[in-house]
Amino acid sequence: MSKRARPTSSAVAMNSKPLRSRAQPIAVYALLILGVVIVIVPLMWAGAASFTPNHKVFEYAYPFSWRALFPVDFTLEAYDNLFDRGFGRAVSNTFFLAIATVIIGGAVNALAGFAFGRFEFRGKNALFLTIVMLTFMVPVDLTAIPRYILVNSFGWINTWQGLLVPGLANSLVIFLFRQFFAEIPQELIDAARVDGATWLRVLVSIILPISKPVLVAAALLMFISQWNAFFWPLLIAPTKEMRVVQVEISLAIGQYGTVWNELLAGSMIAAIVPILLVIPFQRYYVQAITGTGLE
Amino acid sequence: MMRARQQIIPYLFLLPALLLLIVFNLMPTIATLFESMFVISLRSGERVFAGFANYNRIFNDPIFWKSFQVTVVFSLLVNPIQIALALGLAVLINQRAPGIGIFRSIYLLPIAVSLNVTAIVWGLMLDQNSGMVNGILLQLGIPRQPFLHSVDQALWSIILIASWIGVPLWSLFILAGLQNIPPPVLEAAKIDGASAWQSFTKITLPLLRRVLAFVLVADTVANFLMFAPILLLTSGGPRLSTNLIMYETYRRGFLYGDLGASAAMLSVMLVIVFLIVGIELYALRGRD
């Protein structure tokens, strides 16, 4: 009788409002499509233009024709030139940095989330409020100068340590782990503890295997925010060998600002990686970004 | 003995994360306030205590006040625009309509793309000579617009670029809020004869209060720090019309090497961020 009982309808669909009249769906779809046009057209043009000879990048954009959205004069020239200039180095740098952040940062933040989510200890609330919440509230870009001076005093300018270490601990990710771990049934943990497992063993072999949603969410969040990071890498690692993708494309504007197809090819590579990660895992990603805002 | 060991374990688990947060986040926050009281001596290159001299300098500097004013105007425009559009988009993608899942996926794309890429692509789309936006205007018989090259249009262009990411991003939070509203509440209103608009303003919006308050604060803080599009597209111009305060701190600190003035500006910004967040916490205290 109730629609809720149907296993196929997702939680999302259940809470959606049904459409009322005939006119409403048309208006809804018209607005939805308008939004899609605004989202898609810049990406399609940029993608198409990155596969176009440089002198034709604006050919169909002004005056506008539909050809602007498709690579009608297809060439790999921009990508070839871009990689000849060493763009591959920036791509591999960024992959390495993002993966290292996910692995090391994931471990650091999961341990902290485990402690906050599953233990009672003296000073727990105070530590959470003064350190995790406070650092969550202060945007990292605002404190970049002293961080720069500090990292400089370590001799970490233009090094992997300088790029990686300051971003490993992430209060948002600690938050996500804490919330998830706190809801795991106590019996699972008790059973393992009776068998004499250490707490680290409980975390690694009992909790982590059943924590896929939060692991995927946290990994996506850390990977994408590191992949898209700009301000800190710009300050700390501007030399050619250490540049990440976002810095490389941004400096390209000044250096060879009229080679538009290469600029767009670099931008497309910078955009496609997070897009390919978000699309298959969108449920986890949405939970990761909205998870903390609602409490 | 066992108990004592048990007690150490959570602290050990916390140690790496908290140490990193203290060294790289908490200390720099406090140090920003300290750093604002030092200047680098031109003669010796050493850092010298300067009291409030940096603050005196920036508060007597018309460029700082101009960038402050631009930032206030930008905030007063971009935040209401983004939140209103995000609310509309959230209501739209909350409809139960065939294919809505595909639309939701497409609206996620801008959120995955970095602000730099967005700025580069939109910067070329808005090119005053041959950008696509002018190409479309031409087809509509509207004359070419200067966009980023005009004192009147540059800030609006930045608002557009920021909103391409901001609107879909904040709509996700509002959508999550909408889906937390129990359907019986809205059904009851419908049975009582409330119009769609009435149930939206009288029931939905009040129930979204917490989410909207969070979005307002988070959006305000994010836009307050808007930086990449300015660096990449306008360098604060034309005639300082897009010289947002975050860019001004970068210009002073890292382009002109005046870290003292930069830190003083960042300290002013820190205080403002704390005020914004503090007002939210105060407004939401204890209720629900």
Side-chain angles (χ1 to χ4, degrees), chain B:
Chain B
M1 187 62 215
M2 189 63 203
R3 261 200 75 75
R5 269 195 59 206
Q6 290 276 26
Q7 278 304 307
I8 290 174
I9 283 168
Y11 297 108
L12 287 178
F13 285 174
L14 285 177
L15 190 66
L18 294 193
L19 198 65
L20 286 166
L21 286 178
I22 290 171
V23 172
F24 292 106
N25 296 74
L26 209 57
M27 274 168 39
T29 306
I30 299 159
T32 303
L33 305 172
F34 271 103
E35 205 60 44
S36 68
M37 302 205 186
F38 284 86
V39 290
I40 310 267
S41 161
L42 284 176
R43 218 178 280 162
S44 59
E46 282 169 8
R47 278 161 70 237
V48 183
F49 183 74
F52 288 97
N54 290 320
Y55 289 95
N56 258 327
R57 273 196 301 141
I58 65 166
F59 289 143
N60 287 308
D61 181 346
I63 294 183
F64 169 75
W65 285 115
K66 170 73 182 167
S67 82
F68 193 80
Q69 180 210 332
V70 168
T71 308
V72 169
V73 171
F74 176 71
S75 300
L76 291 176
L77 292 171
V78 74
N79 298 315
I81 289 173
Q82 286 191 357
I83 291 169
L85 290 175
L87 180 61
L89 181 61
V91 170
L92 210 55
I93 54 179
N94 191 38
Q95 304 288 330
R96 194 193 294 161
I100 197 75
I102 297 167
F103 286 104
R104 282 190 195 155
S105 304
I106 293 172
Y107 288 123
L108 276 179
L109 295 180
I111 299 167
V113 175
S114 73
L115 193 53
N116 302 50
V117 170
T118 307
I120 290 169
V121 172
W122 273 102
L124 294 175
M125 297 269 297
L126 292 171
D127 187 88
Q128 60 176 348
N129 296 316
S130 42
M132 183 192 285
V133 178
N134 270 325
I136 294 169
L137 292 180
L138 180 75
Q139 305 284 42
L140 299 172
I142 299 168
R144 234 190 255 261
Q145 300 297 316
F147 296 122
L148 289 158
H149 295 274
S150 143
V151 174
D152 300 321
Q153 294 177 1
L155 196 64
W156 285 102
S157 306
I158 300 295
I159 290 171
L160 168 76
I161 291 165
S163 302
W164 189 76
I165 293 180
V167 170
L169 174 64
W170 302 115
S171 79
L172 284 185
F173 289 84
I174 303 173
L175 178 65
L178 283 173
Q179 292 179 343
N180 277 339
I181 299 176
V185 175
L186 294 169
E187 280 155 26
K190 206 174 151 192
I191 291 166
D192 290 345
S195 71
W197 179 249
Q198 278 174 326
S199 78
F200 180 72
T201 53
K202 297 272 159 57
I203 296 168
T204 308
L205 275 185
L207 288 172
L208 286 178
R209 192 176 51 88
R210 287 183 75 91
V211 174
L212 288 174
F214 171 81
V215 167
L216 178 64
V217 169
D219 194 19
T220 304
V221 171
N223 285 318
F224 189 54
L225 305 179
M226 189 56 60
F227 171 72
I230 312 297
L231 174 76
L232 301 183
L233 299 178
T234 68
S235 304
R239 282 197 278 133
L240 299 178
S241 63
T242 60
N243 196 37
L244 293 176
I245 196 160
M246 192 68 206
Y247 181 73
E248 180 61 23
T249 66
Y250 170 78
R251 208 168 61 136
R252 291 288 173 104
F254 290 94
L255 299 186
Y256 299 165
D258 190 350
L259 289 179
S262 187
M265 290 183 202
L266 289 165
S267 300
V268 172
M269 292 177 72
L270 262 179
V271 170
I272 294 173
V273 167
F274 274 112
L275 283 177
I276 296 170
V277 177
I279 289 169
E280 186 210 14
L281 292 179
Y282 180 77
L284 293 177
R285 100 209 95 94
R287 285 196 256 165
D288 298 323

